Amino acid sequence: MHVTDAAKDPDDQTWLSQRERARLSRPINQRAVVVTLAATGLVAAFMMTLMTPLVPELPQLVSADAEDAQWAITVTLLAAAAATPIAGRLGDLYGKQRMVLILLALVLVGSVVAMFANDLVPLIVGRGLQGLGIGVIPLGVSILRDVLHPDRLGSAVALVSATLGVGGAVGLPVAAVISQYLDWHYLFVLSGVLAVAGFVLVLVFVPPSTLRSEGGFDLVGAIGFGLGLVGVLLGVSKGSTWGWTSPATLGSIIGGVVVLVLWGLFELRHPSPLIDLRVAARRTVLLTNLASITVGFAFFASTVVLPQLLESPTATGVGLGQDMLIASLCLMPSGLVMWAMSPVAARLTAARGARVSLLLGLSIIVVSYVIGLFLMTEVWHAILVSTAVGFGVGFAYSSMPNLIMGAVPATETAASNGLNSVMRTLGSTIASAVLGVVLTSNVVTVGAVTTPSFDAFRIAFGVSIAAAVVGVLLTAFIPRHHRAYEDASLPDADDLERALARTGSVSVVADSRRALAE
């Protein structure tokens, strides 16, 4: 395994606990690390779609009106978006493995709170805590860079990155079955069990992080970023409900933008910023993040448009008349294809570069939605379009972390990957708002049944094509060459020996040297 000096003085590893020092003395099972981080990514992604099958029944279940009940869904998105880069920065400063454990613990707490919730407020609290868990995916990608040999890094990053889509696609039918046949609280029993399993796996198989950033945590920057981002996302996600010209919508969006501008000015002057905007402004990082918005838009479009097409009644002459469970199963191949494509995407990235993988992925997404313009009258048509989008997203998701990590310092990978994750979330939020307007503004009514019209679905596919085309253009301007992977976070044998000797752990010095050699 490739190892190098820690970012801080290798003789000063006092930030590690005795247990963590002992953990570093054991050999690393790299395959177990990859499997563990992929599993925790699936758990986190599952939290995002956990309650989707309950949306129609949620107002009755928590005795609230439909608009208020929607907060149980919205809060998860907002918490995930605001907390992910913050968790990444904390991981860079205090240890990525440690932050993964904290996030999984928060998911468990959220699951317990929601498990006993019969009213809206505790359910919102629980769902907000569960949303924080999505940060384990960019943290996991950064851990891979720290501990894996370069030969294994590409395929591992592709696999863990794919879990963001796979977890939702595979978890949706599971959630639908539980919602349909069991008490809805069992959803949170399952999420709690998964969080505990992930916590144990990370504790056992993922080594403590020794690559740390210098400086301290920017609390003011974290608060400013969270307030600004939540303001923008809240206004965009609620615009169709509140009214796009209402004081609440305009106040949220404009206020959020103003806060983010002030936050940016503050960050540029801070000695240890939450997000180094000078790094984020590098051509590769900036263009990759902008392209990530389009990927998030295009992927979320398939999860919004296709379920409505599948579940709309056939009486209108538009819908395909399937229930939630069947519709979920129809979308499952998309997630499975994303998983299956991860090693293929990794090989393409290794051979031609991550830029080519992203360009190919976005191009496949364009073709997928072009097919959707002409094929939307049979169930297999929806499966075909969804699966094709999964192919494209699989290539795109696997490439973006590699592009980011190739252009940022090794000590900022978690925060930078977290920001990239936020960009995808922003794209999904914009897709939800834009496509929501499209699908509700063009409807057909037969008797008491009202559904989106054929024109609405075609416009939605057309908008998705446009978003993916913008992504293709942005990707074309990403530089072809990037700084190579150069370091991992684990110290070399001499550094670890000195650190252990200083703590009196002489008995494990020889073993640690042999372990690192392996």
Side-chain angles (χ1 to χ4, degrees):
M1 190 186 82
H2 177 67
V3 292
T4 188
D5 293 343
K8 296 186 177 183
D9 181 359
D11 286 330
D12 180 16
Q13 302 212 13
T14 55
W15 67 88
L16 292 176
S17 68
Q18 186 66 34
R19 183 193 63 79
E20 289 172 326
R21 295 189 191 98
R23 176 65 182 85
L24 282 174
S25 69
R26 301 198 301 269
I28 296 173
N29 185 331
Q30 296 191 7
R31 179 172 297 179
V33 171
V34 175
V35 171
T36 294
L37 294 175
T40 56
L42 290 173
V43 171
F46 176 57
M47 301 302 153
M48 305 304 290
T49 57
L50 182 65
M51 293 193 66
T52 301
L54 287 176
V55 170
E57 304 174 16
L58 196 56
Q60 292 75 33
L61 294 174
V62 295
S63 302
D65 59 46
E67 182 177 343
D68 289 340
Q70 189 65 29
W71 279 103
I73 308 298
T74 304
V75 71
T76 311
L77 173 68
L78 298 179
T84 297
I86 296 173
R89 178 58 179 164
L90 288 170
D92 285 332
L93 286 170
Y94 305 114
K96 304 177 187 74
Q97 184 236 31
R98 187 173 295 171
M99 278 308 304
V100 170
L101 292 173
I102 291 173
L103 291 179
L104 290 172
L106 290 173
V107 171
L108 175 60
V109 173
S111 299
V112 173
V113 172
M115 189 187 309
F116 295 101
N118 292 305
D119 298 316
L120 183 59
V121 172
L123 182 61
I124 290 175
V125 172
R127 288 293 291 155
L129 290 171
Q130 287 186 320
L132 302 178
I134 202 68
V136 306
I137 296 178
L139 281 167
V141 169
S142 301
I143 290 172
L144 293 176
R145 169 171 177 157
D146 292 349
V147 304
L148 292 190
H149 190 281
D151 292 343
R152 292 189 176 188
L153 184 62
S155 60
V157 167
L159 179 63
V160 174
S161 299
T163 60
L164 188 60
V166 176
V170 175
L172 195 57
V174 175
V177 169
I178 293 176
S179 302
Q180 186 168 338
Y181 297 107
L182 299 173
D183 186 284
W184 63 280
H185 291 92
Y186 281 101
L187 288 170
F188 303 107
V189 175
L190 175 60
S191 65
V193 170
L194 292 175
V196 170
F199 186 97
V200 173
L201 287 173
V202 171
L203 192 64
V204 172
F205 293 112
V206 178
S209 305
T210 60
L211 183 62
R212 308 290 177 88
S213 294
E214 298 287 352
F217 180 64
D218 177 15
L219 180 60
V220 175
I223 294 173
F225 179 80
L227 290 176
L229 185 65
V230 167
V232 172
L233 292 179
L234 185 60
V236 171
S237 63
K238 290 292 186 180
S240 58
T241 302
W242 293 344
W244 288 104
T245 58
S246 68
T249 300
L250 294 177
S252 293
I253 296 176
I254 295 174
V257 170
V258 170
V259 171
L260 287 176
V261 170
L262 295 175
W263 167 81
L265 295 174
F266 175 81
E267 292 294 280
L268 289 173
R269 291 166 173 79
H270 197 280
S272 181
L274 176 73
I275 298 173
D276 191 334
L277 295 181
R278 293 179 179 85
V279 172
R282 292 177 183 175
R283 185 177 171 187
T284 296
V285 180
L286 178 62
L287 291 176
T288 301
N289 282 333
L290 292 176
S292 297
I293 296 176
T294 67
V295 176
F297 187 107
F299 177 53
F300 194 79
S302 68
T303 67
V304 170
V305 177
L306 294 176
Q308 291 206 43
L309 179 63
L310 286 163
E311 295 174 38
S312 295
T314 56
T316 61
V318 179
L320 301 176
Q322 306 300 312
D323 61 25
M324 167 62 79
L325 178 57
I326 298 300
S328 301
L329 291 173
C330 289
L331 299 181
M332 183 185 287
S334 174
L336 297 178
V337 162
M338 289 176 63
W339 191 297
M341 282 297 99
S342 60
V344 179
R347 286 194 290 271
L348 178 62
T349 296
R352 303 298 299 275
R355 174 182 172 275
V356 173
S357 291
L358 181 55
L359 196 61
L360 176 61
L362 283 162
S363 300
I364 293 174
I365 292 172
V366 171
V367 173
S368 303
Y369 284 121
V370 169
I371 294 173
L373 287 175
F374 303 99
L375 297 178
M376 61 173 72
T377 57
E378 302 287 343
V379 171
W380 72 266
H381 293 169
I383 297 174
L384 173 63
V385 173
S386 173
T387 304
V389 170
F391 268 100
V393 173
F395 279 99
Y397 273 7
S398 69
S399 62
M400 290 184 291
N402 284 297
L403 284 167
I404 294 294
M405 291 191 296
V408 304
T411 53
E412 296 183 16
T413 55
S416 298
N417 279 323
L419 179 61
N420 182 253
S421 180
V422 169
M423 294 299 104
R424 281 178 275 177
T425 300
L426 178 60
S428 298
T429 305
I430 295 172
S432 177
V434 171
L435 298 177
V437 171
V438 169
L439 295 176
T440 56
S441 300
N442 301 272
V443 298
V444 57
T445 302
V446 176
V449 178
T450 299
T451 64
S453 64
F454 270 121
D455 287 340
F457 287 115
R458 289 194 179 98
I459 293 172
F461 287 140
V463 171
S464 302
I465 291 171
V469 168
V470 170
V472 169
L473 296 176
L474 290 168
T475 305
F477 288 98
I478 294 175
R480 294 176 181 271
H481 303 290
H482 313 286
R483 181 168 50 195
Y485 173 97
E486 295 175 349
D487 57 2
S489 68
L490 294 176
D492 61 27
D494 291 334
D495 292 336
L496 184 57
E497 180 174 327
R498 287 195 297 269
L500 290 171
R502 288 185 58 186
T503 63
S505 303
V506 180
S507 60
V508 298
V509 168
D511 291 339
S512 66
R513 182 178 289 275
R514 285 194 299 270
L516 285 170
E518 293 173 0

